[in-house]
Amino acid sequence: MQGVILAAGRGRRMRPYTDDVPKAFLEFDGRTLYDRQRDLLEPYVDGTSVVLGYRHETVLERYDPSDPIVLEGWDRYENAASLLLALERIDDDLLVINGDVLVDEREIGRLAGAFDALDGRRNLVGCIPGLQSAETAIRWDETGRVSAYGLIEGHQHAGFGVVSRDHRTAAMRILRERLHDWYPCVYPRTPTRPLLIPAERHVELNRPTDLDRLRAWLASDRIRCA
């Protein structure tokens, strides 16, 4: 399995912090989100790629990330194009994480274990329990298969999951048709199961007001994170 960090977007809501670099390369206590994510994924993957776009020249020069993939024309597409580019380059199961998300390492372990138990027959997508309609959400049917996603009433998409190599071809076809969509559009259209994670084991950086919450989350003795 290969790790993929999606970090091509500009992160306008995080201005002025993202004037020079995307959100994944903001630093906390001398380490970037990207660095923490890469260490978080390392025990479960053979390597980690990062999809870059906005300010990629600065990122490459300043941080020298491992296995960068540059999305040309990043500002013309949504993050479906980022996942498509990764799938085109990497013929493997992909453990995908958004560039602005941190998750307790125990949840990454649960994800990897659950995926192994499925023998690659299903994708997995992390979700936070509790119906809501303010963030990207996932719904599933009575069989446990993901059936819908979007700004809908459902369980919040937690910004990480596994796209199985078994469904790589179908996923690429779907994403090519939806380059202006968010990449979770692939989940209802390929066999996917949800993985519910506790809300307190997940943090997302969307706005400057989230900075203090992220620092407190990292400092908590209840959290295990790189």
Side-chain angles (χ1 to χ4, degrees):
M1 183 154 59
Q2 181 83 2
V4 173
I5 299 169
L6 302 181
R10 185 169 188 169
R12 287 184 176 87
R13 290 179 293 179
M14 278 300 299
R15 287 175 171 173
Y17 298 97
T18 54
D19 285 349
D20 293 327
V21 293
K23 285 189 284 186
F25 290 88
L26 295 178
E27 295 188 25
F28 300 87
D29 300 325
R31 299 181 66 196
T32 62
L33 281 175
Y34 161 77
D35 182 53
R36 293 179 186 276
Q37 290 177 320
R38 188 180 56 185
D39 286 354
L40 189 65
L41 299 182
E42 184 177 18
Y44 307 102
V45 298
D46 298 319
T48 297
S49 304
V50 57
V51 182
L52 302 172
Y54 170 69
R55 298 289 190 191
H56 67 270
E57 301 94 340
T58 301
V59 171
L60 294 172
E61 180 180 347
R62 189 180 298 175
Y63 298 103
D64 190 27
S66 61
D67 198 20
I69 302 172
V70 176
L71 175 64
E72 301 293 344
W74 62 271
D75 53 340
R76 299 197 304 271
Y77 305 112
E78 265 295 350
N79 57 24
S82 293
L83 180 56
L84 173 60
L85 186 58
L87 286 165
E88 289 174 338
R89 300 283 184 90
I90 304 166
D91 184 8
D92 202 347
D93 305 315
L94 297 190
L95 201 170
V96 183
I97 187 166
N98 293 7
D100 57 2
V101 165
L102 283 176
V103 183
D104 190 298
E105 64 183 32
R106 289 167 289 189
E107 301 310 314
I108 298 295
R110 283 184 59 226
L111 180 79
F115 181 73
D116 286 344
L118 292 171
D119 293 325
R121 297 189 306 272
R122 300 286 188 275
N123 304 326
L124 279 176
V125 56
C127 303
I128 297 171
L131 293 179
Q132 58 87 50
S133 57
E135 307 287 346
T136 307
I138 303 288
R139 284 204 303 258
W140 49 91
D141 62 23
E142 65 278 359
T143 71
R145 176 168 171 163
V146 170
S147 57
Y149 108 98
L151 293 177
I152 58 175
E153 185 180 68
H155 302 275
Q156 183 182 344
H157 176 227
F160 73 108
V162 179
V163 178
S164 171
R165 184 180 184 180
D166 284 4
H167 306 299
R168 176 173 176 257
T169 300
M172 289 191 295
R173 174 178 46 77
I174 292 160
L175 292 166
R176 286 189 188 109
E177 295 170 353
R178 306 178 73 93
L179 295 177
H180 299 283
D181 204 342
W182 298 332
Y183 78 88
C185 69
V186 78
Y187 292 128
R189 295 169 177 83
T190 55
T192 302
R193 291 192 178 278
L195 178 79
L196 289 172
I197 70 165
E200 64 271 16
R201 291 190 177 181
H202 167 276
V203 65
E204 185 172 351
L205 186 63
N206 279 322
R207 298 171 178 84
T209 52
D210 294 329
L211 290 168
D212 288 341
R213 187 166 63 91
L214 176 57
R215 291 188 177 98
W217 189 87
L218 288 169
S220 172
D221 58 8
R222 295 176 298 170
I223 295 300
R224 297 180 191 171
C225 189

